[in-house]
C-alpha cells in the first residue's frame, strides 16, 4: 500500500513540459574553480548570452540559435568573466554569460527576445530551452548575490558558478531554487480553476503559490488552496514538475482532493474562481468551449495537470 514506484509510467509527466528538456551533464561532483577558464579555452565551448530577462539569439535563416562560440560571445561584449559553466553536452562545455550590450546596440544578426516569448513561441529546441532555464536562473542569482549575506563583503564566484564564497568571513552561498506548488483541486467529476487579473481574456488556470519555510509540499497545497479559494483539501498527490526561470523557481504540480465545495475566493489574487465539470473542462482543453474559456498552452505544467485529469476517467 502506498508504494507506487513500479506502477509509474517510464516517461514521467515532467518530460512533457517546457523548460524540462535540459540534457546537460552537470558533473556536479567534479566542479573546480578554474572550470570557467578551462571551458572558455575549449574550442568546442558554446555560450548562451542573456541579460535583462532576454536571451540574445543568433538568427539562423528563419530560425534562431541560442549558441555562440567563445570568440563570438566576446565580440558581442558578453561578460565572460561573469559566465557560469552549466556543464557539458555531447558537443562540449555549455556556458551562460551576462550580456554586455544594450538591445539597441546589437548587430542585425542578433535578436534579444524575452524568455517567456521564447518559451511560448517555441523558438528553441527542448534541450536549449532547458539550458535557458538553468542559465537564466543561475545568472539571476549571481546578479542579486554579489555581496555576502552574512557580513556584507563582496563575494566571489567558485565552482564554475555553482557557489559563491566570502573572502572576509568564509561563508559559502549556493544558488537558490524557490519551490512553488501549482495544483488542481478536484472532486470525482469537477476541477477548480481560477483567473488572475493579469491573465489574457478567457484564461483560467490552476492555483499556485510559494512553499514556505518548514512546510511540506502537501501542506503548501492545502494552505494555498484554502487561502485563495476557501476550499479544503484532503489527499494530495504529486504529478510533475517544471523549472520556471522567473527568476529561479521550480513549479511542483499536484492534485488535491477537494473535501469542500463552497468557494470563497481571495479577490486580491483571483478575479474569478469556479468549478468546471469534466465534460466542460474537456471542451476547454480542446479549445471548443462555448464560453471561450481557455487554459494555458501545452508546454505549461498547468495544461498537463488539467489535461491528464480530463483524460483520467475517459
Ligand atoms: Zn562574509
Amino acid at each position: 500500500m502506498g508504494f507506487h514506484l513500479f506502477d509509474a509510467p517510464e516517461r514521467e509527466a515532467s518530460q512533457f513540459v517546457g523548460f524540462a528538456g535540459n540534457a546537460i551533464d552537470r558533473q556536479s561532483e567534479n566542479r573546480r574553480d578554474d572550470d570557467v577558464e578551462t571551458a572558455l579555452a575549449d574550442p568546442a565551448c558554446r555560450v548562451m548570452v542573456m541579460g535583462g530577462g532576454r536571451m540574445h539569439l543568433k538568427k539562423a535563416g528563419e530560425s534562431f540559435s541560442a549558441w555562440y562560440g567563445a570568440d563570438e560571445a566576446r565580440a558581442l561584449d558578453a561578460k565572460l568573466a561573469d559566465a557560469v559553466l552549466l556543464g557539458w553536452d555531447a558537443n562540449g562545455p555549455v556556458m551562460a554569460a551576462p550580456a554586455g550590450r544594450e538591445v539597441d546596440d546589437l548587430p542585425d544578426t542578433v535578436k534579444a527576445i524575452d524568455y517567456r516569448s521564447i518559451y511560448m513561441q517555441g523558438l528553441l529546441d527542448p534541450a536549449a530551452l532547458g539550458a535557458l532555464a538553468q542559465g537564466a536562473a543561475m545568472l539571476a542569482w549571481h546578479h542579486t548575490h554579489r555581496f555576502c549575506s552574512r557580513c556584507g563583503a563582496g563575494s566571489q564566484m567558485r565552482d564554475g558558478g555553482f557557489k559563491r564564497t566570502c573572502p572576509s568571513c568564509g561563508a559559502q552561498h549556493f544558488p537558490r531554487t524557490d519551490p512553488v506548488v501549482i495544483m488542481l483541486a478536484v472532486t470525482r467529476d469537477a476541477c477548480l480553476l481560477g483567473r488572475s487579473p493579469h491573465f489574457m481574456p478567457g484564461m483560467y488556470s490552476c492555483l499556485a503559490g510559494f512553499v514556505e519555510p518548514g512546510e511540506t509540499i502537501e501542506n503548501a497545497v492545502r494552505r494555498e488552496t484554502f487561502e485563495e479559494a476557501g476550499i479544503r483539501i484532503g489527499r494530495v498527490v504529486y504529478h510533475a514538475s517544471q523549472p520556471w526561470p522567473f527568476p529561479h523557481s521550480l513549479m511542483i504540480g499536484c492534485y488535491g482532493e477537494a473535501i469542500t465545495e463552497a468557494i470563497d475566493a481571495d479577490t486580491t489574487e483571483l478575479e474569478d474562481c469556479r468549478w468546471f465539470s469534466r465534460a466542460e473542462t474537456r471542451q476547454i482543453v480542446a479549445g471548443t468551449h462555448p464560453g471561450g474559456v481557455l487554459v494555458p498552452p501545452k508546454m505549461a505544467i498547468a495544461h498537463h495537470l488539467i489535461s491528464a485529469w480530463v483524460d483520467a476517467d475517459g
Side-chain angles (χ1 to χ4, degrees):
M1 287 292 284
F3 185 80
H4 304 298
L5 177 63
F6 299 114
D7 298 327
E10 290 193 15
R11 287 205 68 192
E12 68 247 20
S14 304
Q15 293 185 23
F16 299 97
V17 301
F19 293 125
N22 191 319
I24 293 169
D25 179 359
R26 297 172 182 239
Q27 294 269 337
S28 59
E29 72 282 23
N30 294 325
R31 287 176 189 142
R32 297 193 317 248
D33 285 344
D34 61 357
D35 271 350
V36 167
E37 292 76 16
T38 305
L40 284 171
D42 186 331
C45 177
R46 287 167 309 134
V47 186
M48 296 186 308
V49 179
M50 48 226 302
R54 293 162 182 250
M55 190 170 220
H56 292 193
L57 294 178
K58 182 158 65 172
K59 287 183 192 165
E62 293 297 299
S63 59
F64 292 98
S65 166
W67 306 112
Y68 299 88
D71 287 341
E72 288 178 303
R74 212 170 269 121
L76 275 180
D77 300 326
K79 296 176 180 169
L80 295 182
D82 296 323
V84 297
L85 176 64
L86 305 181
W88 289 260
D89 69 9
N91 299 308
V94 179
M95 307 190 69
R101 280 197 205 176
E102 297 299 323
V103 172
D104 290 344
D105 299 330
L106 292 171
D108 291 342
T109 52
V110 176
K111 189 155 190 219
I113 303 181
D114 67 280
Y115 305 150
R116 201 175 294 266
S117 296
I118 293 171
Y119 161 79
M120 295 287 286
Q121 296 170 25
L123 299 184
L124 295 176
D125 63 71
L129 195 63
L132 183 164
Q134 184 187 356
M138 291 186 67
L139 292 180
W141 179 75
H142 283 287
H143 185 65
T144 52
H145 291 77
R146 285 179 287 186
F147 297 92
C148 175
S149 54
R150 184 200 274 174
C151 78
S155 59
Q156 296 164 343
M157 188 184 284
R158 291 283 181 260
D159 287 2
F162 282 86
K163 181 166 84 175
R164 295 188 74 90
T165 57
C166 175
S168 179
C169 77
Q172 298 186 325
H173 305 282
F174 297 93
R176 58 186 277 183
T177 297
D178 302 330
V180 173
V181 284
I182 177 165
M183 53 273 171
L184 188 65
V186 297
T187 66
R188 293 279 174 195
D189 51 24
C191 71
L192 183 75
L193 299 176
R195 196 185 139 68
S196 292
H198 66 269
F199 283 3
M200 63 184 279
M203 173 81 75
Y204 281 73
S205 188
C206 301
L207 307 183
F210 284 104
V211 180
E212 296 198 342
E215 193 170 49
T216 64
I217 290 168
E218 292 86 345
N219 282 340
V221 167
R222 284 186 274 265
R223 176 182 56 76
E224 282 287 342
T225 306
F226 185 71
E227 286 175 2
E228 291 193 19
I231 298 292
R232 293 287 185 190
I233 296 292
R235 290 177 288 188
V236 173
V237 293
Y238 167 79
H239 180 63
S241 61
Q242 181 178 33
W244 193 245
F246 303 99
H248 31 56
S249 285
L250 176 67
M251 309 279 270
I252 303 166
C254 295
Y255 293 104
E257 171 195 26
I259 53 177
T260 63
E261 292 192 12
I263 295 170
D264 178 16
D266 173 358
T267 53
T268 58
E269 298 234 10
L270 298 175
E271 66 178 29
D272 192 22
C273 185
R274 288 159 53 184
W275 289 104
F276 292 88
S277 72
R278 194 185 297 271
E280 195 176 8
T281 309
R282 185 173 291 116
Q283 291 180 314
I284 296 170
V285 171
T288 58
H289 187 263
V293 174
L294 305 166
V295 290
K298 276 199 165 59
M299 57 280 207
I301 190 168
H303 184 103
H304 285 265
L305 283 165
I306 297 164
S307 63
W309 173 76
V310 163
D311 293 341
D313 286 328

